[in-house]
């Protein structure tokens, strides 16, 4: 009986869709950040002014906690403070999330370094695999400063 239960559970796990976000693996944080910088359409520092999230998007329930969006969210309105790569015609941009497990959560009021791209609809986008980080992350900020100087 135990063996049959195990087989059924494994079969269900293999057959069902996986909702995990898969990011590429790198040999070091330096290598990862250099590659993400090069692959990005734009790299900016920006402060999260507000978010436009709702609690659901399509089939996705973004949070079971109805208060989560008061602290941040996945669909931020950003005040751009610096442009390190790319060209932006405005200093206020909106990040359009994919509404999946790969969507990046942004905390309102925090400033981030964002490695972004322009999606096929012409919208600004990013995700958890892009290398975004809060400027309070001293290790990543130090590596980022080295990359910018090259």
């Amino acid at each position: 009986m135990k063996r049959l239960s195990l087989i059924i559970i494994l079969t269900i796990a293999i057959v069902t869709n996986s909702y995990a976000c898969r990011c590429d693996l790198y040999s070091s944080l330096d290598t990862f950040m250099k590659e993400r910088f090069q692959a990005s359409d734009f790299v900016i520092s920006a402060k999260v002014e507000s978010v436009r999230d709702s609690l659901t998007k399509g089939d996705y329930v973004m949070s079971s906690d109805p208060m989560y969006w008061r602290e941040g969210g996945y669909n931020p309105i950003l005040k751009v403070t610096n442009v390190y790569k790319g060209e932006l015609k405005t200093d206020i941009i909106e990040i359009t999330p994919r509404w999946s497990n790969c969507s990046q959560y942004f905390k309102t009021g925090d400033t981030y370094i964002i490695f972004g791209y322009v999606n096929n609809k012409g919208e600004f986008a990013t995700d958890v695999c892009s290398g975004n980080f809060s400027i309070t992350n001293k290790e990543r900020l130090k590596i980022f400063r080295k990359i910018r100087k090259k």
Side-chain angles (χ1 to χ4, degrees):
M1 187 64 169
K2 287 182 182 179
R3 189 174 284 177
L4 179 60
S5 296
L6 180 61
I7 291 171
I8 291 171
I9 290 171
L10 288 174
T11 303
I12 291 171
I14 292 169
V15 172
T16 59
N17 291 334
S18 174
Y19 293 104
C21 188
R22 291 186 189 158
C23 301
D24 293 335
L25 297 177
Y26 293 87
S27 60
S28 70
L29 185 56
D30 287 30
T31 302
F32 167 69
M33 289 183 66
K34 284 178 196 172
E35 195 283 333
R36 297 315 313 149
F37 188 94
Q38 292 170 351
S40 298
D41 294 334
F42 64 91
V43 179
I44 60 173
S45 64
K47 182 177 181 182
V48 179
E49 297 290 316
S50 62
V51 295
R52 291 192 177 171
D53 294 27
S54 66
L55 292 180
T56 60
K57 288 290 181 186
D59 293 333
Y60 296 103
V61 175
M62 298 311 295
S63 175
S64 59
D65 177 5
M67 300 298 283
Y68 94 100
W69 55 269
R70 292 190 184 188
E71 295 177 7
Y74 301 92
N75 188 197
I77 305 302
L78 305 169
K79 170 81 169 142
V80 178
T81 54
N82 288 298
V83 178
Y84 303 108
K85 180 181 178 183
E87 291 185 27
L88 300 178
K89 296 180 181 177
T90 180
D91 63 344
I92 302 290
I93 67 168
E94 178 178 357
I95 296 292
T96 302
R98 294 181 354 188
W99 299 113
S100 71
N101 287 343
C102 295
S103 295
Q104 175 80 46
Y105 181 85
F106 293 93
K107 189 166 182 177
T108 303
D110 284 2
T111 300
Y112 293 84
I113 302 295
I114 298 170
F115 299 81
Y117 58 93
V118 178
N119 68 20
N120 58 3
K121 295 178 183 176
E123 302 164 325
F124 296 110
T126 193
D127 57 47
V128 295
C129 297
S130 295
N132 310 311
F133 63 93
S134 170
I135 62 167
T136 60
N137 186 323
K138 301 301 181 199
E139 178 185 13
R140 287 188 179 225
L141 193 56
K142 183 178 177 181
I143 294 168
F144 180 73
R145 287 181 176 143
K146 285 193 308 188
I147 292 168
R148 274 192 11 236
K149 291 180 182 180
K150 293 181 181 182

